[in-house]
Structures are given as structure tokens and as C-alpha cells.
Amino acid sequence: MMKDKTSIPRVDALGKVTGLAEYPGDRVPENFLVGKVLFSEQPHARMVSMDVSAAEAVPGVVAIFTAADVPVNEYGLIMPDQPVLVGLGSAKPYSDISLWECDHIAIVVAETEEAAATACAKIQVKWEQLTIITDMFEAMKDEVILNRADGTNILKKYQIRKGDMAAGWAEADVVIEGEYHLPYQEHAYLQPEAGVGYIDEAGRVTVEIGGQWTVEDQEQVAHALGLPLEKVRIIYPAIGGAFGGREDMSLQIVLGLAVMRLHERGIDRPVRIVWSREDSIRGHHKRHEAIVKTKWGATNDGKITAVSAEVFMNSGAYAYTSTKVLGNFHLMVTGPYEIPNAHLDSYAITTNNVPGGAFRGFGGPQGAFAAENQMNKLAELLGIDPVELRLKNILKDGSLLTVQTPMPKAVSLTQVIEACADRIGWHSEQLTVDGEQFASVQSLISNPHALKKGRGFACSFKNVGFSFGAPEKCDAIIELHGKAEIEKVILRHGAAEVGQGSHTALKQMAATAVGVDVSRVEIDMSDTASSGNSGSVSASRMTFMAGNSIHKAAEKALEKWANEERPAIANETYFPPATQPYDPETGVCMPNFSYGYVAEAVELTVDIETGHIRIDRVVCANDVGKAINPMLVEGQIEGAVVQAHGYALMENLQLKDGRILNPYLSQYLIPGIKDIPTHVESIIMEVPDPIGPWGARGMAEMPFLPLAPAIVAALHDATGVWFNEIPLMPYKVVEKLREHA
Amino acid sequence: MSHHTITLTINNEAESLTVPSHMTLLQMLREKLVLTGTKNGCAAGECGACTVLLNGEPVNSCLVLAVECDGAAIVTVEGLAENGRLAPIQQAIQESGGVQCGFCTPGILISAHALLQRNPNPTDDDIAESILGNLCRCTGYVRIIEGVKEAARMETAVI
């Protein structure tokens, strides 16, 4: 374990180990009412009628709100394409149509949970069934239009045209074609969605909830409720995990709507909504299901000459962040390599499935899976070592991306690859099987001859910060209090603490920037009433963005302090270098201002008779620029590796006709303590980002990206068989091995 | 719906409560007693976030009816610290970095605490076995195992 003076325990740890930390579902306000959201249960249907009279008559029911009660019945992080409540009597076009089984159709407010549940069951709705489309290729035909406002189910298409493809293929001595299938992934944060709404002392519609960006939530609530921004307040208490799964709205607007409408009726009581695990798994977006068809050409000496790819990403019923996820996917589907000629077409496709959206890696894992598998297959075909082949093609300072602009300075891919290969002993002897029982399948006695061992490698890059011209900035407020010396520093910042440790890292950066001990810093975070606009905790951006804003705010505050201002208060908004959207024809753009780099090597044992896989060792080399708190950084690496391990081996969301069939943790399995890799070794590298605060880059998503393809490569090393699809569940492994036997 | 009066100790405090027959121990703790340190992650015995000690044994409080606890001794995360001092497992898990979002933490602390009570020198396997029923989505468990080992060292040092 890394121990040094910057690895301070988290600022919120004491509350979390004593049980005193308050999460949204822990709030028990005086005299509160229970809210319940009714789902449509219709993947595609038009509402014909809705009768709430029997529900309203249930004793204890206080109010029922439907589409007609929503002032501006629309929301969405990148486009307002989703009705707050699907139903009748709303001005929003097509808001009578349910496109997703979990579209919200009513909010019941009652004295008790039981009354709310009884009332929900008594709401009578008549639906006209419409054709349910869940297959991407079926949707692309546009025979049934789901995305009615646009008139097409292709939510977004990007393309890249670089170089001369005919010349690239002509130059190639070998060509590898692959089709890769990537599954949905559920965030499975331990805290199901919950929140409390009330009117605060200043008359603001206030929502306490878990999210990833307070100001964005505030803007969306204000828009839907038709309120000025300053009449809405968002507060984040402790949040039980997010991983991108709280980037879009859950209960923010419905809670705001309920308290606003109750207030109008003279009822000023807080409303609390707590979702069950089933509600949570069914009711929020997922990592996108995707298919990649791709072809890579290379010379005999291992130089890539051309890459073509088609990316199909199932966006589900509403846009969420799909267009942005697609942008990343599109950029990363060629991997961290110099590609002289590229022809790429990527599609985000609307269907009646659960919406796809943000999840750690944001399109990067799917892109990396295709790119790294192609690279490993090329290495096999060419008889070149996979590490060596990567180093021959890797992006360096000055390298042009497929979008024809140079990488930002200090590209450290070569260093991370070498460090990772060195630590795992990449060029060492053949691995030997130790014959040990698999912890997770102890009931099975393995045949020692059925155990095979293999080693695999992959590497990735991932952007830090918002990409492709999205407005990007971050506020910080620093106050210096005291007389002769600085006795107290107050940092006010919007950054959400979702478990990753942002509040701790930001406090440490504020202490360093001001030059005081961290014990003198107080923090006031994640409340729109006092803490400014941080942007979201996503895109591995918060340390980078907040660090820069804190650095500058501290400088300004210290200048005021020197001029005898008491207290000395300074605001700073940091703007990073501008990025640009894809050119619609060629894709040419400046996509990002910063990246993080990572390489992973895996050793595994597979039982070829049962298909069970045990990951014996994972080495992750992650260039973080500067580790503000090495213990937290290692925690992010280990957590990302295990989450990616679940993605690669066991997480298997099942959908049929637009409905999720396994919305429980007993049916959608995430790694437990006995499923994890036997050893996870982190190599924290610190190649400074020239524009990062103290050199820091973002880091928390990066270790997710290469793991699945590294596992596939190790499985190939062990068995001689390539797997183009995950999760690698035992029955699928055995099936495929038998096909090749 | 019938109600029952039960008496029990919760974190060493005697309590007498009237509860509906279908109320779970988890609901009683969180809703009647506002001991919200014990978390509700699934209400179906699948995640372990609601783990408490029932007569010294870790149980999923969502799978136990409150009426079954008549005469029992319950310990929740709020009861781990004694006389204002954190239990070794609480101290160790935060220092080892075993806490991230913290939602699984109370359940894991209780499971690990129960282990250390009966086995002061656990192996890695013993630790994994004791936390088998507690899901964590943030940490990858590595630092949780470190934290339990550190707590075992601290407990031994105290003795």
C-alpha cells in the first residue's frame, strides 16, 4: 500500500465509518410526504386515456401529478428530447408516447409508502400499442420512426475521412477483419436513487439528491418548472457511487415539480422519494450496447497502413449523452495509434431499449475493445510481439490523430507501455499452471490438465475534460481569513463527491495553492446556493479543472491578502484550451485538450472444461501526471480494474422486447470479493501534463479501458482462440472452445 | 395488520417498541429509530449494505422481521465506536483507503467486526469469506482487505 504524507484519509471517511454521513435516502425531514413515481411499463405505446380518480380517493393520498401539471414538459442533458412525464394534456409534441418501459407517467404523493403504492396500482391507463424496435439494424431502416421530432432513428452519425484508403490497403501486406459485440453494463452503484424536495427558507424549490453536476441539475429543473434559475437550489449530500450513472436526471425534476405544485396548493411539506434496486436498475441509463465492424491493414514489418470501421451504438429511447459517447467511441476505435489512412462511420441509433449514457470510460471501453483486439490479432498474424507492435505505431508528441490534428504535449504512451511490460515480466518465461482451485467455483474439482494459463496486453488513451467543442469551464472561490496570518481558508466549489474523493483532493490542492496545512482548509461544496459552477464529475476532469481554478483563485486571494484585504476573497473561472466539433465530412477537429494514458497486462488461468476464468494478476500502469493523493489514485485504479473485470467476465444485462429481465443484484452479477483478480498492481506514473494543475491529468476512467481486451488476449494465449464478444461467461467460453476443438 | 410489542437492546440501549408484524429489522432501524447508518441497497438480501449483528452474528437486516428480534441484542454501525473512540476496524478501514462512496461501508464494518471478534488473526481467505455477502462497487475490495488486516493488527496490539 502506498503511504506518504499526501495520502491523507478522505475528509468524509469519519462520517462514513460511523454511519453518520447522510445519503439522500437517509434524510428524514419532519412531517415529510412520500412520493412515488409510476413507470409506463410500455416500451412503445401511445397513451389513450388516464384516470386517476380511484387513486386520488385512496385514503392518505395527498396529490397526483401528471403530464398536464409539468410547465415545460421536457428535459435532457444534451437535448431536451424526453418528457418529464409522458401523458396527455401537455404542449410538448409526442409527449403522449411512451418510448421506454420506464418513462414516468405520474407522481403520487401520499402520507405513507403503502398509500402511495395502493394509489399507483389504481391509476387506470389505456394504451395503444405501437411496434417495439430494439434491434439497431432494424431501427436504422427507419420504417418505424421512434425519434419523431427528427424523422429518423439515426440520432447521430460521425465520420472520419483521412488519407487515401486505396493506397493504404495497397500498401498493406496483411489485413485483419473483426466484428465485436459489446454488452450493456449497469452501474450498480450501491445507493439506489433517492432524494428529498422542499421549499427552502429563501423560497427556493430545493432538491437534495445524488448527481454529478449541481448547476446542470439546477438548470434542467428550472427549465422544466418554468422557474428562473435562482428560484431552484440543488444540494448534494453524501452520494453512494455514480460512475456516470448519475450524470443524467433521476428524481430531480419530479421532486421539484411535486413541492412546487404542493406549495401552490398551500401544502408546504417535504417530499421524499426512494427507489428500490429494481427501480434503479430498470430506471436509469446503461453503458451502451454496441457492434463494431472493423478492418486493419499493416505491412510485414508492423506499420499500420489503414483502418476502416463501422460503429453501431444502441442509444435506446432518449438521447441522454449518447451523441457525446459516440464522439469518444469514434475517436478511440482506432486506439492510441498513428493511423495514416482512416475511413470511419459511427452511428448512435434510437430504439425502445433502456437509454444508453455515461459510464466510466464513456465510449472508450467499446472503442478500445475493438482496437486492442485488432492490434493483438495483427501481432499474432505478423509474428511480432504485441508490445513491440504497439510501440511501432503508438501516438507520440506531435503525432496526428485520425482527426488530423496533433496530440497535446507530453504524450506518455511509450513510457506506460514499457513500465507495464517490464513489471509483468512480459518477455519472461512461459507461465506455469499452479493447479490451485478457483475460489469462485470451489464445488468443482478441476482436472489439472484442463487448466491453461495465458498472458495478454492492451493500452489506451482517454480524454480529460469535455470534448468536441462542448463549453468547458470550472469555478472556484477561495477565502482567506485571519489577521496577521492565514488562520482559515474556505474553499467553495461545486464538485460532486460521488465516492471518488474529489472533496479530499480539492481540499489538498487548496492547501497547497495557499501554502497552509490542509487542516486549515474548510470546504463548502456541492450546493448551488453557495458554490458556483464546477461542471460535472465526469470525463476524468474534476481534479484537472478544479485544480486549475483553485490554483488561480488562490493566487488572486493571496494578492488581496498581501494588500491587507481581510478576509481576502477571490473567484476564478478556469477555461481550458478550446476544442472543436467533428467536421461533418472529414471529421477534422481539435477533439480534446488533455489525455490520460494507461497500459494493462493480465495473467489468467482458464479451465477449458468448465470455461471458468480466474484472473491471477493485473498490472496497470497509469500516467496520472501528478498524484494529488496517491492512496485515492490507487483506489481508483483498483476500483476501475474490478469494474472492468465484471464487464469482461460476468455482467450480463438481459433485455427482451425493450424490457430488462434481470433487475436484481442476484440476477445481474457484479464482482464480489471472491471474484476479483488475485493480484492488482498499480504503477502510478507522473509525466506532468503541461497545462494540468501541478502537472495532474485525469485518471479515474483510464484503467477501465484496456482490461477487457487484455483479458481476451490472455485467453487467446491460453487457448489459441479469439473471443470477439464479452462477457466471457463460462458457458460461452466452453461453447466457443468446443467449436474450435 | 397486527402489531407486536418487542423489547430488545440496540447498541447496548434497551428499547421497547410496537411494530407491525411485517416490518423488517432494517425498516425498524431506519424508519422507527432513525438509525440510518444501516443502509438499504436492495431489501432482498443481495448486497449486504444492511448487515447488522443479531446476537453477535452478522445478518442482513432486510431479511429479518423486527418481531423476530424480541429479546435480542442488535449492534449497528452506530454502535461500533465505544466511549467516543472508533473501533479498530473503523479506524483501519478509513486509513487504508477502504472507503470510497461509503454506502457499503457500514455493512462491511459489521461483517469484518464479527470476523475479528471470533478470529483475531484472520487469513486473507477468512477475510474474503466474511465479506462474501457484502458488495462494493467502488474499491475493488483490495483496500478493504488491507483495512481488515490492519484492524486485526491493531486489536492484537491492544491486547
Side-chain angles (χ1 to χ4, degrees):
Chain A
M1 190 192 326
M2 174 108 27
K3 276 279 178 196
D4 65 54
K5 64 181 176 27
T6 55
S7 287
I8 63 166
R10 308 168 57 93
V11 298
D12 53 358
L14 185 63
K16 288 177 174 177
V17 299
T18 52
L20 299 177
E22 253 189 349
Y23 297 80
D26 297 337
R27 297 275 287 110
V28 188
E30 210 172 307
N31 203 24
F32 76 94
L33 291 165
V34 173
K36 203 164 172 64
V37 175
L38 183 62
F39 293 156
S40 72
E41 308 295 343
Q42 300 295 333
H44 196 196
R46 177 182 286 106
M47 189 184 284
V48 176
S49 66
M50 185 182 210
D51 181 359
V52 298
S53 54
E56 279 174 335
V58 171
V61 168
V62 175
I64 296 176
F65 302 111
T66 63
D69 296 303
V70 189
V72 181
N73 195 14
E74 60 175 31
Y75 76 105
L77 190 53
I78 52 174
M79 57 182 83
D81 65 333
Q82 184 170 7
V84 175
L85 294 175
V86 163
L88 306 170
S90 147
K92 172 83 174 168
Y94 314 114
S95 59
D96 55 337
I97 293 168
S98 174
L99 286 172
W100 174 28
E101 61 163 339
C102 292
D103 267 324
H104 301 181
I105 59 169
I107 313 156
V108 174
V109 181
E111 295 289 347
T112 63
E113 196 73 47
E114 290 77 11
T118 307
C120 277
K122 292 197 175 197
I123 294 177
Q124 308 272 326
V125 188
K126 284 208 178 74
W127 297 97
E128 174 200 346
Q129 295 299 320
L130 303 169
T131 309
I132 296 168
I133 307 281
T134 60
D135 179 81
M136 289 188 274
F137 301 108
E138 196 59 38
M140 284 178 85
K141 292 180 192 161
D142 274 345
E143 286 165 5
V144 175
I145 302 290
L146 307 176
N147 211 339
R148 289 167 173 83
D150 291 352
T152 171
N153 296 329
I154 297 176
L155 177 69
K156 193 78 198 177
K157 186 202 170 188
Y158 292 121
Q159 61 184 44
I160 285 174
R161 302 287 181 262
K162 181 189 181 194
D164 177 345
M165 291 306 286
W169 297 129
E171 213 188 317
D173 297 309
V174 295
V175 168
I176 285 280
E177 282 190 73
E179 180 171 323
Y180 302 97
H181 289 237
L182 284 308
Y184 283 108
Q185 190 182 20
E186 154 63 25
H187 303 82
Y189 27 69
L190 264 284
Q191 180 228 315
E193 289 77 355
V196 176
Y198 55 92
I199 306 291
D200 79 353
E201 65 289 348
R204 290 174 287 213
V205 169
T206 303
V207 179
E208 294 190 25
I209 197 159
Q212 296 184 216
W213 182 358
T214 52
V215 169
E216 174 63 31
D217 286 2
Q218 181 191 27
E219 285 172 0
Q220 290 202 57
V221 173
H223 175 77
L225 301 189
L227 293 173
L229 199 59
E230 62 276 11
K231 295 301 282 182
V232 175
R233 178 181 181 189
I234 303 289
I235 301 169
Y236 291 164
I239 299 170
F243 318 113
R246 300 192 205 271
E247 180 124 54
D248 290 88
M249 291 285 173
S250 57
L251 298 164
Q252 285 86 333
I253 299 175
V254 291
L255 281 166
L257 176 70
V259 296
M260 180 181 85
R261 291 298 189 209
L262 288 172
H263 177 74
E264 288 166 3
R265 297 179 188 184
I267 302 169
D268 277 312
R269 293 172 65 183
V271 176
R272 188 176 88 168
I273 304 180
V274 180
W275 269 4
S276 68
R277 176 59 59 186
E278 182 186 352
D279 291 339
S280 173
I281 293 183
R282 293 177 65 217
H284 81 263
H285 67 268
K286 304 289 168 263
R287 186 188 300 287
H288 294 81
E289 170 189 62
I291 293 173
V292 182
K293 298 178 182 180
T294 186
K295 185 170 149 186
W296 292 43
T299 60
N300 279 331
D301 63 355
K303 279 303 271 185
I304 298 166
T305 60
V307 172
S308 67
E310 280 184 299
V311 165
F312 305 94
M313 201 180 81
N314 197 333
S315 300
Y318 296 102
Y320 285 60
T321 48
S322 285
T323 60
K324 304 288 180 189
V325 173
L326 185 74
N328 271 21
F329 196 160
H330 189 57
L331 187 71
M332 289 167 200
V333 77
T334 49
Y337 307 110
E338 290 183 337
I339 312 290
N341 305 294
H343 183 108
L344 313 172
D345 293 295
S346 298
Y347 303 87
I349 304 148
T350 302
T351 68
N352 293 119
N353 275 356
V354 59
F359 195 153
R360 198 178 212 157
F362 207 73
Q366 295 98 320
F369 190 77
E372 294 304 286
N373 273 312
Q374 288 291 105
M375 232 17 209
N376 285 325
K377 289 177 185 179
L378 266 182
E380 185 196 27
L381 188 65
L382 292 166
I384 298 176
D385 179 85
V387 169
E388 200 185 310
L389 183 66
R390 285 182 166 79
L391 292 173
K392 272 180 195 283
N393 293 284
I394 203 74
L395 292 169
K396 301 179 194 73
D397 274 16
S399 294
L400 294 186
L401 286 156
T402 52
V403 290
Q404 306 184 41
T405 50
M407 289 291 286
K409 287 194 170 39
V411 180
S412 58
L413 280 156
T414 301
Q415 290 102 304
V416 297
I417 290 170
E418 286 173 347
C420 183
D422 190 46
R423 172 70 72 86
I424 195 96
W426 185 255
H427 299 290
S428 67
E429 297 291 301
Q430 191 78 30
L431 294 162
T432 50
V433 173
D434 56 19
E436 218 178 282
Q437 283 295 334
F438 288 13
S440 59
V441 284
Q442 277 170 340
S443 59
L444 295 173
I445 315 252
S446 9
N447 166 7
H449 301 295
L451 298 181
K452 307 284 176 199
K453 213 150 179 160
R455 201 185 261 152
F457 198 94
C459 61
S460 302
F461 72 139
K462 168 74 185 58
N463 60 294
V464 176
F466 298 155
S467 313
F468 305 114
E472 178 59 305
K473 62 171 189 168
C474 186
D475 298 338
I477 303 166
I478 292 271
E479 300 181 10
L480 308 177
H481 296 262
K483 293 190 181 101
E485 64 165 325
I486 300 168
E487 287 156 19
K488 182 171 74 177
V489 177
I490 300 175
L491 166 66
R492 296 186 204 279
H493 204 281
E497 172 59 83
V498 293
Q500 83 282 44
S502 62
H503 289 183
T504 306
L506 268 53
K507 183 173 171 170
Q508 287 181 272
M509 291 193 291
T512 305
V514 175
V516 297
D517 187 78
V518 73
S519 61
R520 294 209 186 169
V521 181
E522 284 177 19
I523 53 174
D524 170 18
M525 313 292 275
S526 317
D527 179 347
T528 56
S530 57
S531 60
N533 190 354
S534 60
S536 74
V537 286
S538 64
S540 297
R541 67 184 279 288
M542 193 51 80
T543 301
F544 183 104
M545 295 294 296
N548 275 318
S549 63
I550 288 168
H551 201 300
K552 216 34 192 289
E555 252 176 44
K556 285 186 182 172
L558 285 169
E559 206 176 297
K560 291 183 176 183
W561 180 267
N563 293 331
E564 307 291 326
E565 274 187 47
R566 298 292 184 273
I569 301 174
N571 297 345
E572 172 67 15
T573 302
Y574 169 69
F575 294 91
T579 62
Q580 300 161 336
Y582 285 116
D583 177 86
E585 299 302 320
T586 61
V588 169
C589 66
M590 180 54 79
N592 293 298
F593 55 84
S594 173
Y595 294 92
Y597 306 104
V598 62
E600 279 169 5
V602 166
E603 290 174 5
L604 60 73
T605 308
V606 56
D607 182 329
I608 59 168
E609 286 179 355
T610 66
H612 282 92
I613 293 168
R614 181 183 64 207
I615 307 296
D616 299 312
R617 190 176 175 209
V618 176
V619 171
C620 174
N622 190 356
D623 177 16
V624 308
K626 166 74 187 170
I628 304 299
N629 182 320
M631 184 170 76
L632 292 182
V633 166
E634 282 193 9
Q636 287 303 304
I637 293 175
E638 291 155 2
V641 163
V642 170
Q643 224 169 48
H645 169 105
Y647 182 53
L649 297 182
M650 61 198 293
E651 296 186 29
N652 189 23
L653 195 76
Q654 297 289 300
L655 282 92
K656 188 166 193 297
D657 300 331
R659 298 173 198 275
I660 289 177
L661 303 178
N662 55 341
Y664 305 99
L665 295 172
S666 55
Q667 300 173 342
Y668 179 86
L669 302 182
I670 64 171
I673 197 164
K674 285 206 165 188
D675 300 311
I676 63 173
T678 313
H679 299 285
V680 179
E681 296 165 43
S682 306
I683 305 172
I684 298 177
M685 302 186 58
E686 296 187 316
V687 179
D689 186 317
I691 58 166
W694 299 277
R697 304 172 189 270
M699 60 72 51
E701 293 170 288
M702 291 64 178
F704 193 103
L705 273 64
L707 192 78
I711 288 174
V712 166
L715 188 55
H716 173 265
D717 187 37
T719 64
V721 177
W722 288 111
F723 289 77
N724 297 323
E725 193 176 340
I726 52 172
L728 297 164
M729 284 170 307
Y731 80 90
K732 286 196 176 175
V733 172
V734 169
E735 200 176 86
K736 184 113 189 184
L737 290 178
R738 285 194 185 137
E739 273 171 33
H740 286 76
Chain B
M1 142 187 8
S2 64
H3 283 71
H4 304 266
T5 299
I6 58 172
T7 58
L8 69 172
T9 69
I10 295 172
N11 301 328
N12 287 324
E13 305 250 337
E15 299 274 356
S16 181
L17 296 156
T18 300
V19 295
S21 50
H22 65 271
M23 179 175 261
T24 65
L25 174 56
L26 174 62
Q27 289 169 327
M28 183 182 82
L29 292 170
R30 289 183 57 83
E31 286 156 35
K32 275 192 97 83
L33 299 166
V34 198
L35 287 169
T36 54
T38 302
K39 302 303 178 201
N40 180 357
C42 71
E46 296 171 356
C47 75
C50 69
T51 308
V52 301
L53 293 183
L54 168 60
N55 297 328
E57 288 297 319
V59 296
N60 285 316
S61 61
C62 69
L63 297 183
V64 176
L65 290 173
V67 292
E68 292 180 85
C69 301
D70 193 17
I74 305 293
V75 178
T76 70
V77 67
E78 290 93 343
L80 287 179
E82 279 178 10
N83 306 320
R85 287 193 55 184
L86 293 180
I89 185 66
Q90 291 173 300
Q91 191 69 40
I93 209 113
Q94 60 165 324
E95 285 175 2
S96 69
V99 177
Q100 286 189 26
C101 90
F103 203 77
C104 72
T105 304
I108 284 180
L109 291 172
I110 293 286
S111 293
H113 181 73
L115 168 73
L116 295 172
Q117 295 284 299
R118 63 172 188 271
N119 179 359
N121 292 302
T123 63
D124 282 16
D125 271 357
D126 296 334
I127 294 169
E129 200 69 39
S130 75
I131 294 169
L132 203 50
N134 296 90
L135 292 175
C136 168
R137 190 57 154 170
C138 299
T139 65
Y141 303 99
V142 180
R143 264 139 224 297
I144 290 171
I145 297 170
E146 288 302 318
V148 180
K149 284 177 45 184
E150 180 58 27
R153 283 190 285 270
M154 289 163 68
E155 300 235 22
T156 315
V158 170
I159 295 161

